[in-house]
């Protein structure tokens, strides 16, 4: 599929709706999730059969959530915030999976795009610059979608110890703030059971 066909697809539209806009990061996440799912031979996880580990909390992670079905709420989306465009997708059944990492030379930053982005983010761009930015942002997204996955990513097979499934634990009130807290997350200090928030406030 070329970029236009991908952008017209229901799958991509769902990613864009969920994320709120189309951008190069979302497009990279889309491509990474598609490769990982294909290699894993799994369809979208309705429950927890697939676990995703993302190494950035930026735009790309949203496409990963939509396409793989791995979400925070289900406990099968893990974010290790290393600031890297890396997705590891694992099968819950086998613990095996694939690590999809952006190649260092795959998508070099574009100077003009980057400068305009900084201007837009800081609110200093005029209308013309903002329009030029949107155009370039979309063009960069198209460039990503048009690239063959093997040019964008290094994919390797991995085996990982999987985190335990999402648990539903009974709550009890924190001794300090009184808010119901999952009892396994309370810490006993001087005979009082404190939530993490109160524990931190107590420290400082
Ligand atoms: Zn974005
Ligand atoms: Zn508390």
């Amino acid at each position: 599929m070329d970029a236009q066909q991908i952008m017209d697809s229901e799958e991509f539209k769902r990613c864009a709706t969920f994320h709120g806009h189309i951008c190069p990061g979302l497009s990279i996440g889309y491509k990474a999730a598609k490769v990982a799912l294909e290699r894993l031979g799994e369809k979208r996880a309705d429950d927890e059969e697939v676990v995703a580990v993302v190494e950035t909390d930026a735009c790309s992670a949203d496409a990963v959530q939509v396409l793989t079905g791995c979400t925070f709420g289900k406990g099968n989306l893990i974010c290790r915030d290393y600031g890297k465009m890396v997705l590891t997708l694992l099968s819950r059944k086998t613990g095996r999976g694939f690590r999809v990492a952006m190649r260092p030379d795959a998508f070099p930053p574009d100077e003009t795009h980057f400068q305009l982005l900084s201007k837009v983010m800081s609110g200093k761009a005029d209308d013309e610059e903002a329009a030029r930015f949107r155009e370039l942002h979309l063009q960069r997204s198209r460039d990503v979608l048009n690239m063959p996955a093997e040019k964008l990513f290094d994919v390797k097979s991995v085996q990982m110890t999987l985190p335990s499934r999402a648990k539903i634990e009974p709550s009890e009130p924190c001794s300090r703030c009184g808010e119901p807290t999952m009892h396994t997350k309370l810490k006993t200090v001087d005979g009082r059971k404190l939530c993490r928030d109160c524990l931190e406030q107590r420290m400082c």
Side-chain angles (χ1 to χ4, degrees):
M1 283 209 282
D2 67 16
Q4 194 54 52
Q5 287 168 316
I6 293 173
M7 283 183 175
D8 288 340
S9 71
E10 278 312 307
E11 261 182 339
F12 188 81
K13 284 181 187 166
R14 279 212 313 276
C15 295
T17 304
F18 182 70
H19 183 52
H21 60 246
I22 292 172
C23 63
L26 186 77
S27 306
I28 291 167
Y30 171 91
K31 295 284 275 195
K34 292 292 276 187
V35 172
L37 283 166
E38 196 184 291
R39 295 291 293 270
L40 203 59
E42 295 267 5
K43 287 260 160 23
R44 187 183 182 280
D46 282 332
D47 191 14
E48 287 191 33
E49 60 267 28
V50 173
V51 177
V53 183
V54 292
E55 297 186 21
T56 173
D57 63 356
C59 303
S60 58
D62 278 353
V64 170
Q65 291 182 76
V66 172
L67 294 178
T68 65
C70 297
T71 65
F72 281 118
K74 280 187 280 183
N76 58 350
L77 175 70
I78 295 152
C79 180
R80 295 184 179 154
D81 193 8
Y82 303 154
K84 295 201 267 184
M85 191 26 255
V86 177
L87 162 68
T88 305
L89 201 64
L90 305 148
S91 159
R92 173 77 73 184
K93 280 169 274 179
T94 62
R96 279 186 219 279
F98 292 91
R99 186 175 189 272
V100 180
M102 186 97 175
R103 298 171 71 114
D105 50 352
F107 195 61
D110 176 278
E111 188 68 24
T112 315
H113 178 245
F114 190 75
Q115 280 174 3
L116 286 169
L117 172 73
S118 312
K119 271 198 156 179
V120 169
M121 299 278 269
S122 61
K124 287 182 189 142
D126 61 27
D127 288 353
E128 202 178 305
E129 287 167 329
R132 179 78 186 117
F133 168 72
R134 281 195 297 275
E135 199 181 299
L136 271 178
H137 213 48
L138 195 61
Q139 185 52 51
R140 301 271 291 164
S141 307
R142 283 183 198 281
D143 291 347
V144 168
L145 295 175
N146 273 327
M147 275 174 83
E150 55 276 18
K151 263 194 87 182
L152 267 176
F153 306 115
D154 281 320
V155 183
K156 65 177 185 189
S157 158
V158 288
Q159 172 102 48
M160 251 194 206
T161 310
L162 290 168
S164 53
R165 279 170 178 268
K167 284 198 195 94
I168 299 172
E169 304 271 4
S171 291
E172 49 180 289
C174 163
S175 309
R176 185 171 176 271
C177 67
E179 290 179 351
T181 307
M182 210 182 269
H183 78 99
T184 48
K185 307 264 174 178
L186 288 164
K187 199 166 188 307
T188 306
V189 180
D190 302 331
R192 299 173 82 208
K193 288 182 175 177
L194 300 178
C195 74
R196 285 184 186 168
D197 195 17
C198 289
L199 195 66
E200 271 173 28
Q201 290 180 38
R202 194 181 162 276
M203 301 291 190
C204 50

